[in-house]
Amino acid sequence: EVQLVETGGGLIQPGGSLRLSCAASGFTVSSNYMSWVRQAPGKGLEWVSVIYSGGSTYYADSVKGRFTISRDNSKNTLYLQMNSLRAEDTAVYYCAREDPSVYGAFDIWGQGTMVTVSS
Amino acid sequence: DIQMTQSPSSLSASVGDRVTITCQASQDISNYLNWYQQKPGKAPKLLIYDASNLETGVPSRFSGSGSGTDFTFTISSLQPEDIATYYCQQYDNLYTFGQGTKLEIK
């Protein structure tokens, strides 16, 4: 079965760091374009970051310089390292795969992991 | 950055109604637009890709059209299970979502 499972969310103080993980099954992370998308409570979807199969990475302006996307091919897992966290980073974080046959469309999503930044 | 503006932000309709949501891009994005459905507490689900193509397994009452800057998403006959929030998303330059349209049953 093709699926994504996120872990690593929790309560963290402002200025702190957290690493989210996204374990994939049924497909190879390194062969696909993988993104993180977040959703603040009661708000809409916000794209956060992407890592392409070739290794190039891109970030939303709101997280650039603070977040780092990476992957571990041996574990078939995607990561999001989040540093200097702010209250406005509070959200459910989803990992998502771009459909390899349909460029730009997120066809597989995880269930999400909640990150709460608060003192 | 490309901005995506959806309208309306909320919509109330009756079962069987035809429902239309629009999405406008701040610049020409060709047909690089997708539509998603999100139910409360769940991850989004891809419905329409490349502006007008129905994702496998999605009911045919859902459709999309448009190109350039103006796009439309339509439910031909609203069903109770269609209650959700709908989002457009561009991928011409990285990715941007619209702010969402919350659909409710009247």
Side-chain angles (χ1 to χ4, degrees), chain A residues 44-45, chain B residues 3-10 20-26 33-37 69 71-73 84-90 96-103:
Chain A
L45 301 169
Chain B
Q3 308 302 317
M4 305 301 295
T5 303
Q6 263 182 259
S7 62
S9 56
S10 64
T20 299
I21 298 169
T22 63
C23 183
Q24 185 170 60
S26 59
L33 184 104
N34 305 314
W35 290 95
Y36 298 84
Q37 175 193 68
T69 61
F71 302 87
T72 300
F73 172 81
T85 301
Y86 294 84
Y87 295 92
C88 61
Q89 172 241 325
Q90 70 80 22
T96 313
F97 289 92
Q99 77 274 23
T101 296
K102 186 175 183 179
L103 180 55

PDB file of all heavy atoms in Angstrom, chain A residues 44-45, chain B residues 3-10 20-26 33-37 69 71-73 84-90 96-103:
ATOM      1  N   GLY A  44      -6.216  27.901   5.969  1.00  0.00           N
ATOM      2  CA  GLY A  44      -6.034  27.164   4.734  1.00  0.00           C
ATOM      3  C   GLY A  44      -4.686  26.476   4.640  1.00  0.00           C
ATOM      4  O   GLY A  44      -3.885  26.500   5.574  1.00  0.00           O
ATOM      5  N   LEU A  45      -4.448  25.878   3.489  1.00  0.00           N
ATOM      6  CA  LEU A  45      -3.218  25.145   3.237  1.00  0.00           C
ATOM      7  C   LEU A  45      -2.108  26.097   2.804  1.00  0.00           C
ATOM      8  O   LEU A  45      -2.342  27.020   2.023  1.00  0.00           O
ATOM      9  CB  LEU A  45      -3.460  24.100   2.143  1.00  0.00           C
ATOM     10  CG  LEU A  45      -4.540  23.068   2.430  1.00  0.00           C
ATOM     11  CD1 LEU A  45      -4.856  22.274   1.166  1.00  0.00           C
ATOM     12  CD2 LEU A  45      -4.101  22.137   3.547  1.00  0.00           C
TER      13      LEU A  45
ATOM     14  N   GLN B   3      -0.124  34.642  -6.585  1.00  0.00           N
ATOM     15  CA  GLN B   3      -1.217  34.624  -5.614  1.00  0.00           C
ATOM     16  C   GLN B   3      -2.432  33.981  -6.258  1.00  0.00           C
ATOM     17  O   GLN B   3      -2.720  34.200  -7.439  1.00  0.00           O
ATOM     18  CB  GLN B   3      -1.557  36.042  -5.162  1.00  0.00           C
ATOM     19  CG  GLN B   3      -0.372  36.853  -4.683  1.00  0.00           C
ATOM     20  CD  GLN B   3       0.367  36.190  -3.530  1.00  0.00           C
ATOM     21  OE1 GLN B   3      -0.236  35.664  -2.599  1.00  0.00           O
ATOM     22  NE2 GLN B   3       1.692  36.221  -3.581  1.00  0.00           N
ATOM     23  N   MET B   4      -3.152  33.197  -5.469  1.00  0.00           N
ATOM     24  CA  MET B   4      -4.368  32.537  -5.935  1.00  0.00           C
ATOM     25  C   MET B   4      -5.545  33.040  -5.121  1.00  0.00           C
ATOM     26  O   MET B   4      -5.524  32.979  -3.883  1.00  0.00           O
ATOM     27  CB  MET B   4      -4.247  31.026  -5.791  1.00  0.00           C
ATOM     28  CG  MET B   4      -3.014  30.432  -6.477  1.00  0.00           C
ATOM     29  SD  MET B   4      -2.959  30.755  -8.233  1.00  0.00           S
ATOM     30  CE  MET B   4      -4.377  29.832  -8.799  1.00  0.00           C
ATOM     31  N   THR B   5      -6.561  33.552  -5.803  1.00  0.00           N
ATOM     32  CA  THR B   5      -7.728  34.104  -5.128  1.00  0.00           C
ATOM     33  C   THR B   5      -8.957  33.268  -5.474  1.00  0.00           C
ATOM     34  O   THR B   5      -9.365  33.208  -6.636  1.00  0.00           O
ATOM     35  CB  THR B   5      -7.960  35.566  -5.552  1.00  0.00           C
ATOM     36  OG1 THR B   5      -6.783  36.328  -5.277  1.00  0.00           O
ATOM     37  CG2 THR B   5      -9.132  36.149  -4.791  1.00  0.00           C
ATOM     38  N   GLN B   6      -9.519  32.644  -4.454  1.00  0.00           N
ATOM     39  CA  GLN B   6     -10.706  31.822  -4.626  1.00  0.00           C
ATOM     40  C   GLN B   6     -11.938  32.588  -4.217  1.00  0.00           C
ATOM     41  O   GLN B   6     -11.897  33.394  -3.274  1.00  0.00           O
ATOM     42  CB  GLN B   6     -10.612  30.588  -3.717  1.00  0.00           C
ATOM     43  CG  GLN B   6     -10.108  29.337  -4.367  1.00  0.00           C
ATOM     44  CD  GLN B   6     -10.096  28.164  -3.427  1.00  0.00           C
ATOM     45  OE1 GLN B   6      -9.043  27.809  -2.902  1.00  0.00           O
ATOM     46  NE2 GLN B   6     -11.256  27.562  -3.234  1.00  0.00           N
ATOM     47  N   SER B   7     -13.048  32.301  -4.876  1.00  0.00           N
ATOM     48  CA  SER B   7     -14.322  32.859  -4.442  1.00  0.00           C
ATOM     49  C   SER B   7     -15.458  31.912  -4.785  1.00  0.00           C
ATOM     50  O   SER B   7     -15.385  31.188  -5.797  1.00  0.00           O
ATOM     51  CB  SER B   7     -14.551  34.228  -5.089  1.00  0.00           C
ATOM     52  OG  SER B   7     -14.611  34.101  -6.492  1.00  0.00           O
ATOM     53  N   PRO B   8     -16.493  31.868  -3.922  1.00  0.00           N
ATOM     54  CA  PRO B   8     -16.558  32.587  -2.662  1.00  0.00           C
ATOM     55  C   PRO B   8     -15.725  31.894  -1.586  1.00  0.00           C
ATOM     56  O   PRO B   8     -15.204  30.808  -1.826  1.00  0.00           O
ATOM     57  CB  PRO B   8     -18.052  32.505  -2.327  1.00  0.00           C
ATOM     58  CG  PRO B   8     -18.474  31.190  -2.903  1.00  0.00           C
ATOM     59  CD  PRO B   8     -17.672  31.019  -4.166  1.00  0.00           C
ATOM     60  N   SER B   9     -15.607  32.507  -0.421  1.00  0.00           N
ATOM     61  CA  SER B   9     -14.883  31.857   0.671  1.00  0.00           C
ATOM     62  C   SER B   9     -15.776  30.827   1.366  1.00  0.00           C
ATOM     63  O   SER B   9     -15.271  29.886   1.979  1.00  0.00           O
ATOM     64  CB  SER B   9     -14.391  32.895   1.676  1.00  0.00           C
ATOM     65  OG  SER B   9     -15.474  33.665   2.153  1.00  0.00           O
ATOM     66  N   SER B  10     -17.079  31.017   1.276  1.00  0.00           N
ATOM     67  CA  SER B  10     -18.015  30.018   1.782  1.00  0.00           C
ATOM     68  C   SER B  10     -19.254  30.006   0.902  1.00  0.00           C
ATOM     69  O   SER B  10     -19.561  31.002   0.229  1.00  0.00           O
ATOM     70  CB  SER B  10     -18.380  30.303   3.236  1.00  0.00           C
ATOM     71  OG  SER B  10     -19.071  31.525   3.344  1.00  0.00           O
ATOM     72  N   THR B  20     -20.514  26.130  -8.182  1.00  0.00           N
ATOM     73  CA  THR B  20     -19.348  26.612  -8.924  1.00  0.00           C
ATOM     74  C   THR B  20     -18.451  27.443  -8.019  1.00  0.00           C
ATOM     75  O   THR B  20     -18.927  28.313  -7.284  1.00  0.00           O
ATOM     76  CB  THR B  20     -19.779  27.451 -10.130  1.00  0.00           C
ATOM     77  OG1 THR B  20     -20.560  26.647 -11.023  1.00  0.00           O
ATOM     78  CG2 THR B  20     -18.559  27.977 -10.882  1.00  0.00           C
ATOM     79  N   ILE B  21     -17.162  27.151  -8.083  1.00  0.00           N
ATOM     80  CA  ILE B  21     -16.132  27.890  -7.341  1.00  0.00           C
ATOM     81  C   ILE B  21     -15.143  28.427  -8.372  1.00  0.00           C
ATOM     82  O   ILE B  21     -14.791  27.727  -9.325  1.00  0.00           O
ATOM     83  CB  ILE B  21     -15.414  26.968  -6.338  1.00  0.00           C
ATOM     84  CG1 ILE B  21     -16.408  26.427  -5.301  1.00  0.00           C
ATOM     85  CG2 ILE B  21     -14.268  27.698  -5.654  1.00  0.00           C
ATOM     86  CD1 ILE B  21     -15.840  25.304  -4.440  1.00  0.00           C
ATOM     87  N   THR B  22     -14.698  29.644  -8.163  1.00  0.00           N
ATOM     88  CA  THR B  22     -13.717  30.203  -9.089  1.00  0.00           C
ATOM     89  C   THR B  22     -12.384  30.425  -8.397  1.00  0.00           C
ATOM     90  O   THR B  22     -12.302  30.599  -7.172  1.00  0.00           O
ATOM     91  CB  THR B  22     -14.213  31.524  -9.695  1.00  0.00           C
ATOM     92  OG1 THR B  22     -14.364  32.490  -8.657  1.00  0.00           O
ATOM     93  CG2 THR B  22     -15.537  31.322 -10.407  1.00  0.00           C
ATOM     94  N   CYS B  23     -11.349  30.430  -9.200  1.00  0.00           N
ATOM     95  CA  CYS B  23      -9.983  30.640  -8.713  1.00  0.00           C
ATOM     96  C   CYS B  23      -9.269  31.512  -9.738  1.00  0.00           C
ATOM     97  O   CYS B  23      -9.286  31.214 -10.939  1.00  0.00           O
ATOM     98  CB  CYS B  23      -9.287  29.295  -8.556  1.00  0.00           C
ATOM     99  SG  CYS B  23      -7.616  29.358  -7.874  1.00  0.00           S
ATOM    100  N   GLN B  24      -8.690  32.590  -9.263  1.00  0.00           N
ATOM    101  CA  GLN B  24      -7.983  33.510 -10.159  1.00  0.00           C
ATOM    102  C   GLN B  24      -6.522  33.610  -9.761  1.00  0.00           C
ATOM    103  O   GLN B  24      -6.196  33.839  -8.584  1.00  0.00           O
ATOM    104  CB  GLN B  24      -8.635  34.885 -10.133  1.00  0.00           C
ATOM    105  CG  GLN B  24      -8.041  35.869 -11.134  1.00  0.00           C
ATOM    106  CD  GLN B  24      -8.866  37.139 -11.238  1.00  0.00           C
ATOM    107  OE1 GLN B  24      -9.046  37.859 -10.254  1.00  0.00           O
ATOM    108  NE2 GLN B  24      -9.372  37.415 -12.443  1.00  0.00           N
ATOM    109  N   ALA B  25      -5.652  33.445 -10.738  1.00  0.00           N
ATOM    110  CA  ALA B  25      -4.212  33.562 -10.504  1.00  0.00           C
ATOM    111  C   ALA B  25      -3.754  34.993 -10.761  1.00  0.00           C
ATOM    112  O   ALA B  25      -4.311  35.689 -11.616  1.00  0.00           O
ATOM    113  CB  ALA B  25      -3.457  32.601 -11.410  1.00  0.00           C
ATOM    114  N   SER B  26      -2.714  35.406 -10.058  1.00  0.00           N
ATOM    115  CA  SER B  26      -2.209  36.776 -10.203  1.00  0.00           C
ATOM    116  C   SER B  26      -1.409  36.976 -11.488  1.00  0.00           C
ATOM    117  O   SER B  26      -1.090  38.101 -11.853  1.00  0.00           O
ATOM    118  CB  SER B  26      -1.352  37.147  -8.991  1.00  0.00           C
ATOM    119  OG  SER B  26      -0.264  36.248  -8.860  1.00  0.00           O
ATOM    120  N   LEU B  33      -2.895  24.042 -12.770  1.00  0.00           N
ATOM    121  CA  LEU B  33      -3.788  24.245 -11.646  1.00  0.00           C
ATOM    122  C   LEU B  33      -4.467  22.936 -11.258  1.00  0.00           C
ATOM    123  O   LEU B  33      -4.916  22.172 -12.125  1.00  0.00           O
ATOM    124  CB  LEU B  33      -4.872  25.278 -11.992  1.00  0.00           C
ATOM    125  CG  LEU B  33      -5.759  25.575 -10.789  1.00  0.00           C
ATOM    126  CD1 LEU B  33      -5.416  26.912 -10.153  1.00  0.00           C
ATOM    127  CD2 LEU B  33      -7.226  25.479 -11.109  1.00  0.00           C
ATOM    128  N   ASN B  34      -4.521  22.707  -9.955  1.00  0.00           N
ATOM    129  CA  ASN B  34      -5.180  21.521  -9.412  1.00  0.00           C
ATOM    130  C   ASN B  34      -6.248  21.925  -8.404  1.00  0.00           C
ATOM    131  O   ASN B  34      -6.214  23.033  -7.861  1.00  0.00           O
ATOM    132  CB  ASN B  34      -4.151  20.626  -8.715  1.00  0.00           C
ATOM    133  CG  ASN B  34      -2.999  20.257  -9.627  1.00  0.00           C
ATOM    134  OD1 ASN B  34      -3.196  19.880 -10.781  1.00  0.00           O
ATOM    135  ND2 ASN B  34      -1.785  20.378  -9.111  1.00  0.00           N
ATOM    136  N   TRP B  35      -7.192  21.015  -8.162  1.00  0.00           N
ATOM    137  CA  TRP B  35      -8.246  21.220  -7.165  1.00  0.00           C
ATOM    138  C   TRP B  35      -8.249  20.072  -6.165  1.00  0.00           C
ATOM    139  O   TRP B  35      -8.097  18.904  -6.548  1.00  0.00           O
ATOM    140  CB  TRP B  35      -9.613  21.295  -7.837  1.00  0.00           C
ATOM    141  CG  TRP B  35      -9.846  22.519  -8.656  1.00  0.00           C
ATOM    142  CD1 TRP B  35      -9.649  22.651 -10.002  1.00  0.00           C
ATOM    143  CD2 TRP B  35     -10.326  23.787  -8.194  1.00  0.00           C
ATOM    144  NE1 TRP B  35      -9.973  23.927 -10.403  1.00  0.00           N
ATOM    145  CE2 TRP B  35     -10.396  24.639  -9.308  1.00  0.00           C
ATOM    146  CE3 TRP B  35     -10.711  24.285  -6.941  1.00  0.00           C
ATOM    147  CZ2 TRP B  35     -10.828  25.967  -9.210  1.00  0.00           C
ATOM    148  CZ3 TRP B  35     -11.145  25.592  -6.853  1.00  0.00           C
ATOM    149  CH2 TRP B  35     -11.197  26.420  -7.970  1.00  0.00           C
ATOM    150  N   TYR B  36      -8.433  20.434  -4.887  1.00  0.00           N
ATOM    151  CA  TYR B  36      -8.438  19.455  -3.804  1.00  0.00           C
ATOM    152  C   TYR B  36      -9.705  19.613  -2.973  1.00  0.00           C
ATOM    153  O   TYR B  36     -10.266  20.710  -2.855  1.00  0.00           O
ATOM    154  CB  TYR B  36      -7.235  19.643  -2.870  1.00  0.00           C
ATOM    155  CG  TYR B  36      -5.912  19.459  -3.550  1.00  0.00           C
ATOM    156  CD1 TYR B  36      -5.315  20.495  -4.244  1.00  0.00           C
ATOM    157  CD2 TYR B  36      -5.248  18.235  -3.513  1.00  0.00           C
ATOM    158  CE1 TYR B  36      -4.102  20.333  -4.878  1.00  0.00           C
ATOM    159  CE2 TYR B  36      -4.028  18.055  -4.142  1.00  0.00           C
ATOM    160  CZ  TYR B  36      -3.463  19.115  -4.838  1.00  0.00           C
ATOM    161  OH  TYR B  36      -2.261  18.945  -5.477  1.00  0.00           O
ATOM    162  N   GLN B  37     -10.088  18.510  -2.346  1.00  0.00           N
ATOM    163  CA  GLN B  37     -11.183  18.484  -1.379  1.00  0.00           C
ATOM    164  C   GLN B  37     -10.596  18.121  -0.024  1.00  0.00           C
ATOM    165  O   GLN B  37      -9.803  17.179   0.074  1.00  0.00           O
ATOM    166  CB  GLN B  37     -12.205  17.420  -1.798  1.00  0.00           C
ATOM    167  CG  GLN B  37     -13.344  17.199  -0.827  1.00  0.00           C
ATOM    168  CD  GLN B  37     -14.118  15.932  -1.160  1.00  0.00           C
ATOM    169  OE1 GLN B  37     -13.601  14.820  -1.034  1.00  0.00           O
ATOM    170  NE2 GLN B  37     -15.363  16.086  -1.614  1.00  0.00           N
ATOM    171  N   THR B  69      -5.437  32.765 -16.339  1.00  0.00           N
ATOM    172  CA  THR B  69      -5.598  33.286 -14.985  1.00  0.00           C
ATOM    173  C   THR B  69      -6.918  32.922 -14.338  1.00  0.00           C
ATOM    174  O   THR B  69      -7.070  33.104 -13.124  1.00  0.00           O
ATOM    175  CB  THR B  69      -5.459  34.818 -14.962  1.00  0.00           C
ATOM    176  OG1 THR B  69      -6.477  35.376 -15.787  1.00  0.00           O
ATOM    177  CG2 THR B  69      -4.085  35.261 -15.457  1.00  0.00           C
ATOM    178  N   PHE B  71     -10.058  30.204 -13.568  1.00  0.00           N
ATOM    179  CA  PHE B  71     -10.384  28.790 -13.487  1.00  0.00           C
ATOM    180  C   PHE B  71     -11.700  28.598 -12.736  1.00  0.00           C
ATOM    181  O   PHE B  71     -12.049  29.392 -11.861  1.00  0.00           O
ATOM    182  CB  PHE B  71      -9.269  28.030 -12.774  1.00  0.00           C
ATOM    183  CG  PHE B  71      -7.941  28.177 -13.453  1.00  0.00           C
ATOM    184  CD1 PHE B  71      -7.112  29.253 -13.157  1.00  0.00           C
ATOM    185  CD2 PHE B  71      -7.524  27.262 -14.405  1.00  0.00           C
ATOM    186  CE1 PHE B  71      -5.895  29.411 -13.793  1.00  0.00           C
ATOM    187  CE2 PHE B  71      -6.312  27.413 -15.044  1.00  0.00           C
ATOM    188  CZ  PHE B  71      -5.495  28.485 -14.742  1.00  0.00           C
ATOM    189  N   THR B  72     -12.385  27.496 -13.081  1.00  0.00           N
ATOM    190  CA  THR B  72     -13.667  27.187 -12.463  1.00  0.00           C
ATOM    191  C   THR B  72     -13.702  25.723 -12.057  1.00  0.00           C
ATOM    192  O   THR B  72     -13.238  24.849 -12.800  1.00  0.00           O
ATOM    193  CB  THR B  72     -14.814  27.471 -13.447  1.00  0.00           C
ATOM    194  OG1 THR B  72     -14.801  28.848 -13.811  1.00  0.00           O
ATOM    195  CG2 THR B  72     -16.160  27.136 -12.827  1.00  0.00           C
ATOM    196  N   PHE B  73     -14.257  25.477 -10.879  1.00  0.00           N
ATOM    197  CA  PHE B  73     -14.486  24.133 -10.375  1.00  0.00           C
ATOM    198  C   PHE B  73     -15.988  23.979 -10.196  1.00  0.00           C
ATOM    199  O   PHE B  73     -16.630  24.866  -9.612  1.00  0.00           O
ATOM    200  CB  PHE B  73     -13.755  23.954  -9.044  1.00  0.00           C
ATOM    201  CG  PHE B  73     -14.069  22.669  -8.322  1.00  0.00           C
ATOM    202  CD1 PHE B  73     -13.447  21.487  -8.667  1.00  0.00           C
ATOM    203  CD2 PHE B  73     -14.980  22.646  -7.273  1.00  0.00           C
ATOM    204  CE1 PHE B  73     -13.719  20.312  -7.992  1.00  0.00           C
ATOM    205  CE2 PHE B  73     -15.258  21.485  -6.589  1.00  0.00           C
ATOM    206  CZ  PHE B  73     -14.629  20.308  -6.952  1.00  0.00           C
ATOM    207  N   ALA B  84     -17.352  19.900   2.400  1.00  0.00           N
ATOM    208  CA  ALA B  84     -15.901  19.940   2.591  1.00  0.00           C
ATOM    209  C   ALA B  84     -15.433  21.352   2.269  1.00  0.00           C
ATOM    210  O   ALA B  84     -16.223  22.218   1.899  1.00  0.00           O
ATOM    211  CB  ALA B  84     -15.209  18.939   1.665  1.00  0.00           C
ATOM    212  N   THR B  85     -14.127  21.540   2.405  1.00  0.00           N
ATOM    213  CA  THR B  85     -13.490  22.762   1.931  1.00  0.00           C
ATOM    214  C   THR B  85     -12.689  22.417   0.681  1.00  0.00           C
ATOM    215  O   THR B  85     -11.996  21.391   0.659  1.00  0.00           O
ATOM    216  CB  THR B  85     -12.591  23.382   3.002  1.00  0.00           C
ATOM    217  OG1 THR B  85     -13.384  23.685   4.157  1.00  0.00           O
ATOM    218  CG2 THR B  85     -11.934  24.665   2.492  1.00  0.00           C
ATOM    219  N   TYR B  86     -12.795  23.254  -0.333  1.00  0.00           N
ATOM    220  CA  TYR B  86     -12.133  23.013  -1.602  1.00  0.00           C
ATOM    221  C   TYR B  86     -11.041  24.049  -1.835  1.00  0.00           C
ATOM    222  O   TYR B  86     -11.237  25.242  -1.548  1.00  0.00           O
ATOM    223  CB  TYR B  86     -13.161  23.039  -2.738  1.00  0.00           C
ATOM    224  CG  TYR B  86     -14.130  21.883  -2.637  1.00  0.00           C
ATOM    225  CD1 TYR B  86     -15.256  21.962  -1.813  1.00  0.00           C
ATOM    226  CD2 TYR B  86     -13.887  20.694  -3.311  1.00  0.00           C
ATOM    227  CE1 TYR B  86     -16.122  20.883  -1.684  1.00  0.00           C
ATOM    228  CE2 TYR B  86     -14.759  19.617  -3.201  1.00  0.00           C
ATOM    229  CZ  TYR B  86     -15.867  19.722  -2.382  1.00  0.00           C
ATOM    230  OH  TYR B  86     -16.717  18.647  -2.252  1.00  0.00           O
ATOM    231  N   TYR B  87      -9.908  23.584  -2.347  1.00  0.00           N
ATOM    232  CA  TYR B  87      -8.755  24.450  -2.581  1.00  0.00           C
ATOM    233  C   TYR B  87      -8.259  24.311  -4.018  1.00  0.00           C
ATOM    234  O   TYR B  87      -8.174  23.192  -4.541  1.00  0.00           O
ATOM    235  CB  TYR B  87      -7.588  24.084  -1.660  1.00  0.00           C
ATOM    236  CG  TYR B  87      -7.835  24.294  -0.193  1.00  0.00           C
ATOM    237  CD1 TYR B  87      -8.341  23.276   0.604  1.00  0.00           C
ATOM    238  CD2 TYR B  87      -7.538  25.521   0.414  1.00  0.00           C
ATOM    239  CE1 TYR B  87      -8.563  23.461   1.959  1.00  0.00           C
ATOM    240  CE2 TYR B  87      -7.759  25.714   1.770  1.00  0.00           C
ATOM    241  CZ  TYR B  87      -8.265  24.693   2.526  1.00  0.00           C
ATOM    242  OH  TYR B  87      -8.479  24.885   3.870  1.00  0.00           O
ATOM    243  N   CYS B  88      -7.907  25.442  -4.626  1.00  0.00           N
ATOM    244  CA  CYS B  88      -7.145  25.382  -5.864  1.00  0.00           C
ATOM    245  C   CYS B  88      -5.664  25.498  -5.502  1.00  0.00           C
ATOM    246  O   CYS B  88      -5.313  25.948  -4.406  1.00  0.00           O
ATOM    247  CB  CYS B  88      -7.572  26.484  -6.825  1.00  0.00           C
ATOM    248  SG  CYS B  88      -7.338  28.184  -6.237  1.00  0.00           S
ATOM    249  N   GLN B  89      -4.810  25.082  -6.426  1.00  0.00           N
ATOM    250  CA  GLN B  89      -3.360  25.088  -6.185  1.00  0.00           C
ATOM    251  C   GLN B  89      -2.634  25.253  -7.512  1.00  0.00           C
ATOM    252  O   GLN B  89      -2.889  24.502  -8.454  1.00  0.00           O
ATOM    253  CB  GLN B  89      -2.926  23.780  -5.526  1.00  0.00           C
ATOM    254  CG  GLN B  89      -1.415  23.596  -5.404  1.00  0.00           C
ATOM    255  CD  GLN B  89      -0.911  22.374  -6.170  1.00  0.00           C
ATOM    256  OE1 GLN B  89      -1.591  21.353  -6.255  1.00  0.00           O
ATOM    257  NE2 GLN B  89       0.293  22.465  -6.735  1.00  0.00           N
ATOM    258  N   GLN B  90      -1.739  26.226  -7.595  1.00  0.00           N
ATOM    259  CA  GLN B  90      -0.962  26.410  -8.817  1.00  0.00           C
ATOM    260  C   GLN B  90       0.407  25.784  -8.656  1.00  0.00           C
ATOM    261  O   GLN B  90       0.949  25.697  -7.540  1.00  0.00           O
ATOM    262  CB  GLN B  90      -0.839  27.905  -9.169  1.00  0.00           C
ATOM    263  CG  GLN B  90       0.035  28.740  -8.240  1.00  0.00           C
ATOM    264  CD  GLN B  90       1.542  28.637  -8.492  1.00  0.00           C
ATOM    265  OE1 GLN B  90       1.968  28.276  -9.596  1.00  0.00           O
ATOM    266  NE2 GLN B  90       2.359  28.929  -7.488  1.00  0.00           N
ATOM    267  N   THR B  96       1.315  27.294  -4.792  1.00  0.00           N
ATOM    268  CA  THR B  96       0.502  28.188  -3.976  1.00  0.00           C
ATOM    269  C   THR B  96      -0.926  27.661  -3.952  1.00  0.00           C
ATOM    270  O   THR B  96      -1.463  27.291  -4.999  1.00  0.00           O
ATOM    271  CB  THR B  96       0.466  29.622  -4.551  1.00  0.00           C
ATOM    272  OG1 THR B  96       1.780  30.050  -4.880  1.00  0.00           O
ATOM    273  CG2 THR B  96      -0.162  30.584  -3.557  1.00  0.00           C
ATOM    274  N   PHE B  97      -1.517  27.675  -2.765  1.00  0.00           N
ATOM    275  CA  PHE B  97      -2.926  27.288  -2.632  1.00  0.00           C
ATOM    276  C   PHE B  97      -3.802  28.529  -2.552  1.00  0.00           C
ATOM    277  O   PHE B  97      -3.370  29.572  -2.033  1.00  0.00           O
ATOM    278  CB  PHE B  97      -3.126  26.467  -1.352  1.00  0.00           C
ATOM    279  CG  PHE B  97      -2.527  25.092  -1.401  1.00  0.00           C
ATOM    280  CD1 PHE B  97      -1.231  24.870  -0.956  1.00  0.00           C
ATOM    281  CD2 PHE B  97      -3.259  24.002  -1.874  1.00  0.00           C
ATOM    282  CE1 PHE B  97      -0.665  23.601  -0.997  1.00  0.00           C
ATOM    283  CE2 PHE B  97      -2.710  22.730  -1.917  1.00  0.00           C
ATOM    284  CZ  PHE B  97      -1.404  22.533  -1.484  1.00  0.00           C
ATOM    285  N   GLY B  98      -5.017  28.390  -3.035  1.00  0.00           N
ATOM    286  CA  GLY B  98      -6.016  29.400  -2.768  1.00  0.00           C
ATOM    287  C   GLY B  98      -6.418  29.328  -1.300  1.00  0.00           C
ATOM    288  O   GLY B  98      -6.050  28.388  -0.586  1.00  0.00           O
ATOM    289  N   GLN B  99      -7.206  30.299  -0.859  1.00  0.00           N
ATOM    290  CA  GLN B  99      -7.534  30.378   0.559  1.00  0.00           C
ATOM    291  C   GLN B  99      -8.641  29.411   0.969  1.00  0.00           C
ATOM    292  O   GLN B  99      -8.924  29.254   2.167  1.00  0.00           O
ATOM    293  CB  GLN B  99      -7.937  31.811   0.939  1.00  0.00           C
ATOM    294  CG  GLN B  99      -9.345  32.214   0.534  1.00  0.00           C
ATOM    295  CD  GLN B  99      -9.421  32.750  -0.884  1.00  0.00           C
ATOM    296  OE1 GLN B  99      -8.572  32.478  -1.735  1.00  0.00           O
ATOM    297  NE2 GLN B  99     -10.445  33.552  -1.131  1.00  0.00           N
ATOM    298  N   GLY B 100      -9.262  28.752  -0.014  1.00  0.00           N
ATOM    299  CA  GLY B 100     -10.264  27.739   0.296  1.00  0.00           C
ATOM    300  C   GLY B 100     -11.691  28.237   0.179  1.00  0.00           C
ATOM    301  O   GLY B 100     -11.967  29.427   0.380  1.00  0.00           O
ATOM    302  N   THR B 101     -12.589  27.324  -0.146  1.00  0.00           N
ATOM    303  CA  THR B 101     -14.032  27.589  -0.186  1.00  0.00           C
ATOM    304  C   THR B 101     -14.724  26.526   0.645  1.00  0.00           C
ATOM    305  O   THR B 101     -14.637  25.334   0.339  1.00  0.00           O
ATOM    306  CB  THR B 101     -14.570  27.539  -1.623  1.00  0.00           C
ATOM    307  OG1 THR B 101     -13.973  28.587  -2.386  1.00  0.00           O
ATOM    308  CG2 THR B 101     -16.085  27.691  -1.630  1.00  0.00           C
ATOM    309  N   LYS B 102     -15.380  26.966   1.712  1.00  0.00           N
ATOM    310  CA  LYS B 102     -16.089  26.035   2.591  1.00  0.00           C
ATOM    311  C   LYS B 102     -17.503  25.852   2.081  1.00  0.00           C
ATOM    312  O   LYS B 102     -18.274  26.815   1.985  1.00  0.00           O
ATOM    313  CB  LYS B 102     -16.101  26.564   4.033  1.00  0.00           C
ATOM    314  CG  LYS B 102     -16.685  25.586   5.030  1.00  0.00           C
ATOM    315  CD  LYS B 102     -16.558  26.102   6.451  1.00  0.00           C
ATOM    316  CE  LYS B 102     -17.080  25.100   7.466  1.00  0.00           C
ATOM    317  NZ  LYS B 102     -16.934  25.579   8.861  1.00  0.00           N
ATOM    318  N   LEU B 103     -17.828  24.620   1.765  1.00  0.00           N
ATOM    319  CA  LEU B 103     -19.125  24.292   1.184  1.00  0.00           C
ATOM    320  C   LEU B 103     -20.010  23.634   2.244  1.00  0.00           C
ATOM    321  O   LEU B 103     -19.607  22.658   2.883  1.00  0.00           O
ATOM    322  CB  LEU B 103     -18.913  23.356  -0.010  1.00  0.00           C
ATOM    323  CG  LEU B 103     -20.125  22.873  -0.778  1.00  0.00           C
ATOM    324  CD1 LEU B 103     -20.969  24.031  -1.273  1.00  0.00           C
ATOM    325  CD2 LEU B 103     -19.680  21.992  -1.938  1.00  0.00           C
TER     326      LEU B 103
END
